[in-house]
Amino acid sequence: MYKLPKLPYSYSALEPYIDEETMRIHHDKHHQAYVDNLNKLLEGNSKLANKPIDKLLSEIDEVPESIRQGVINNGGGHANHSFFWEIMTPPAAGSSSPVGPLKEELIKTFGSLESFKQEFSAKAMSVFGSGWAYLLKTPDGKLILKRHSFQNSPLMHGNTPILGIDLWEHAYYLKYQNRKAEYVEAWWNVINWEKVDENYTSATIR
Ligand code: MN
């Protein structure tokens, strides 16, 4: 059985950049639905239902074909959102940029932190329809930017998510309507860089 994780902050904690109502619906309704649907799909299959979600997705070939697409959609939705809540934090709470090994690697890969931010935002804006933009660490240790359609998880391809943004309209439409660029710009103010640093460091150890 998979469970909806608690938000690590209050629903209103990301204001004014991400509004309380969006957070309530996004977490309590959308994320909950992915969890419920995933549990329904895996009913009676305790071997799969007991796997950590990351493992369920990285070993997606072991899921029977009849339910595989459902697990990709809903298991991916569960993993993506669990990740997403963690890489955000109230605007005043965190540091404003990465430090340590991730910072060095971003500068090496993208030239500067500013150009990383620009390239990431451009990648986010280039997501057509529902999906995500991710900064990923590949198995051979490279940092790459990648679009993912729907809830397709980077874990299915052996990549480790370091930073990611939800670009489904449900993530921003109540506050930003069609102004997706404003949402992407605002989102940079609520990044939990300590957590993002940690994502990179633990991926390096693994
Ligand atoms: Mn979402």
Side-chain angles (χ1 to χ4, degrees):
M1 280 283 274
Y2 293 94
K3 268 181 64 188
L4 181 69
K6 272 214 157 80
L7 277 185
Y9 35 73
S10 74
Y11 294 103
S12 61
L14 306 182
E15 296 262 12
Y17 302 107
I18 301 181
D19 60 291
E20 175 173 356
E21 195 186 3
T22 295
M23 288 302 289
R24 279 191 190 280
I25 298 174
H26 201 175
H27 178 268
D28 293 5
K29 306 289 181 198
H30 289 280
H31 190 172
Q32 181 73 63
Y34 295 123
V35 171
D36 292 344
N37 290 332
L38 179 61
N39 285 331
K40 230 172 281 165
L41 283 163
L42 297 179
E43 230 163 39
N45 193 332
S46 57
K47 192 170 157 255
L48 290 178
N50 285 328
K51 280 190 185 187
I53 186 64
D54 286 17
K55 217 161 179 228
L56 182 69
L57 291 164
S58 62
E59 299 171 354
I60 194 69
D61 289 347
E62 292 178 18
V63 175
E65 220 181 315
S66 58
I67 57 165
R68 193 177 300 153
Q69 189 58 50
V71 170
I72 289 172
N73 296 342
N74 294 287
H78 177 35
N80 286 329
H81 287 87
S82 300
F83 173 83
F84 189 52
W85 311 135
E86 294 285 332
I87 56 97
M88 297 191 290
T89 196
S95 57
S96 57
S97 64
V99 292
L102 176 61
K103 180 182 175 184
E104 285 164 35
E105 202 55 33
L106 285 172
I107 292 171
K108 206 155 84 184
T109 308
F110 299 96
S112 68
L113 290 181
E114 200 40 50
S115 40
F116 157 67
K117 233 176 109 170
Q118 275 169 18
E119 280 189 45
F120 187 102
S121 291
K123 187 62 85 175
M125 289 306 292
S126 75
V127 172
F128 185 74
S130 296
W132 295 71
Y134 270 108
L135 172 71
L136 301 170
K137 187 158 182 289
T138 64
D140 59 355
K142 286 200 181 68
L143 284 177
I144 57 165
L145 295 174
K146 207 161 176 283
R147 284 185 297 263
H148 279 258
S149 291
F150 315 117
Q151 296 295 353
N152 292 334
S153 166
L155 300 163
M156 293 193 300
H157 311 286
N159 293 322
T160 306
I162 307 297
L163 178 68
I165 181 170
D166 188 345
L167 295 155
W168 285 54
E169 286 185 348
H170 68 224
Y172 64 88
Y173 210 82
L174 287 177
K175 182 174 171 75
Y176 294 98
Q177 291 90 44
N178 61 323
R179 303 185 309 278
K180 180 165 141 183
E182 271 181 44
Y183 160 65
V184 173
E185 199 48 42
W187 173 78
W188 289 108
N189 293 289
V190 293
I191 305 298
N192 183 346
W193 286 110
E194 282 87 359
K195 181 64 188 171
V196 177
D197 274 326
E198 192 190 309
N199 290 341
Y200 180 72
T201 315
S202 47
T204 307
I205 294 161
R206 201 183 301 158

